[in-house]
C-alpha cells in the first residue's frame, strides 16, 4: 500500500512518514558519499553528493513509486571501487545501512529520556521504524542493494559476477520486477525482524 492512501485517512501520519523517509534516505545516501569521499574516492563529490540536501539524493521516479506502491528508492551514489579497493568499497557500501541503524539507536535513546506520548513520541517512533526497515531492506543480498555489494566485497569472485549483472542494460528493471513480485515475502521478513527489534528495545 502506498503512502498516498494516508493523505485522506490521516494527513498528519502522511506528513510524518514522508518526512521520516526523506530524512532517512538522505542520510543513507550521504553516508555512502561521505565515507567514499573520506576514503579517497572523489566520484561522489564530483557529482555533488557529499551533501545533506535531499534534492541531490531523492529520485523523482523512486519517490513516486514509494508514494504509489509502498516501495521505492533514492538516487544511488556513484562510487569508483578502483579508488577504494576491496575494503574501502565494503565500508562505503555498509555506511548507508549503518547510518540508518545509528538513527534508529538515537531514536531509542531519545524515547528513553523524553516523553513518549504525543506528537513527539509518534515522530520518534516513526523515524525509528522507518530506519529499521531501511537498514533491513538494504541488507538483503539482492543485486543493486547494499547487501549484495557487501557480500560481493567479502567474496570477490561473487562481486565480479554481480558487477557484470548490474552493468547490463536491463538489470535495474529485472531487480525492480523481482522486488515487486516478491514484495509480500520480503515484507513479511522485514516486518518480522522489525517487530523483533522493536520488542527487543522495548517498543
Amino acid at each position: 500500500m502506498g503512502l498516498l492512501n494516508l493523505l485522506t485517512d490521516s494527513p498528519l501520519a502522511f506528513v510524518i512518514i514522508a518526512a521520516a523517509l526523506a530524512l532517512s534516505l538522505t542520510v543513507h545516501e550521504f553516508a555512502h558519499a561521505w565515507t567514499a569521499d573520506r576514503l579517497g574516492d572523489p566520484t561522489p563529490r564530483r557529482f555533488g553528493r557529499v551533501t545533506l540536501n535531499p534534492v541531490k539524493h531523492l529520485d523523482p521516479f523512486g519517490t513516486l513509486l514509494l508514494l504509489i506502491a509502498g516501495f521505492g528508492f533514492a538516487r544511488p551514489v556513484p562510487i569508483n571501487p578502483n579508488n577504494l579497493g576491496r575494503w574501502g568499497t565494503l565500508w562505503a557500501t555498509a555506511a548507508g545501512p549503518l547510518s540508518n541503524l545509528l538513527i534508529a539507536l538515537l531514536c531509542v535513546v531519545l524515547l528513553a529520556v523524553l516523553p513518549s506520548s504525543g506528537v513527539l513520541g509518534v515522530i520518534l517512533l516513526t523515524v525509528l521504524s522507518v530506519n529499521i526497515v531501511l537498514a533491513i531492506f538494504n541488507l538483503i543480498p539482492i543485486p543493486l542493494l547494499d547487501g549484495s555489494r557487501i557480500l560481493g566485497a567479502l567474496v570477490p569472485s561473487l562481486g565480479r559476477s554481480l558487477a557484470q549483472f548490474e552493468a547490463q542494460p536491463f538489470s535495474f528493471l529485472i531487480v525492480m520486477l523481482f522486488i515487486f513480485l516478491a514484495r509480500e515475502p520480503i515484507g513479511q521478513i522485514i516486518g518480522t525482524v522489525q517487530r523483533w527489534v522493536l520488542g527487543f528495545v522495548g517498543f
Side-chain angles (χ1 to χ4, degrees), residues 133-179:
V133 169
L134 286 177
I136 297 168
F137 177 73
N138 278 283
L139 287 173
I140 298 174
I142 297 174
L144 299 178
L145 296 184
D146 296 331
S148 71
R149 292 173 177 173
I150 292 171
L151 188 60
L154 293 171
V155 185
S157 59
L158 178 61
R160 287 190 290 271
S161 298
L162 288 169
Q164 290 174 357
F165 170 78
E166 292 182 4
Q168 300 303 312
F170 299 106
S171 61
F172 173 77
L173 292 177
I174 292 171
V175 171
M176 290 301 296
L177 179 61
F178 173 80
I179 292 174

Side-chain angles (χ1 to χ4, degrees), residues 43-141:
T43 310
R45 185 170 295 277
R46 192 161 61 243
F47 282 86
R49 302 300 298 275
V50 189
T51 176
L52 285 169
N53 181 358
V55 175
K56 294 289 187 178
H57 298 295
L58 299 182
D59 182 272
F61 179 65
T63 302
L64 183 63
L65 262 183
L66 195 61
L67 293 172
I68 296 174
F71 73 94
F73 54 90
R75 187 176 295 132
V77 171
I79 64 172
N80 186 346
N82 294 324
N83 294 329
L84 294 169
R86 177 184 175 187
W87 300 112
T89 300
L90 186 149
W91 281 113
T93 303
L98 284 174
S99 72
N100 295 127
L101 292 175
L102 287 174
I103 293 175
L105 180 60
L106 175 62
C107 288
V108 170
V109 173
L110 291 175
L111 283 165
V113 299
L114 296 174
S116 58
S117 59
V119 175
L120 178 59
V122 171
I123 291 172
L124 289 174
L125 193 56
T126 301
V127 174
L128 169 61
S129 299
V130 163
N131 279 277
I132 291 173
V133 169
L134 286 177
I136 297 168
F137 177 73
N138 278 283
L139 287 173
I140 298 174

Side-chain angles (χ1 to χ4, degrees), residues 23-36:
L23 166 71
S24 306
L25 288 169
T26 296
V27 172
H28 179 103
E29 298 302 332
F30 167 76
H32 285 311
W34 183 84
T35 305

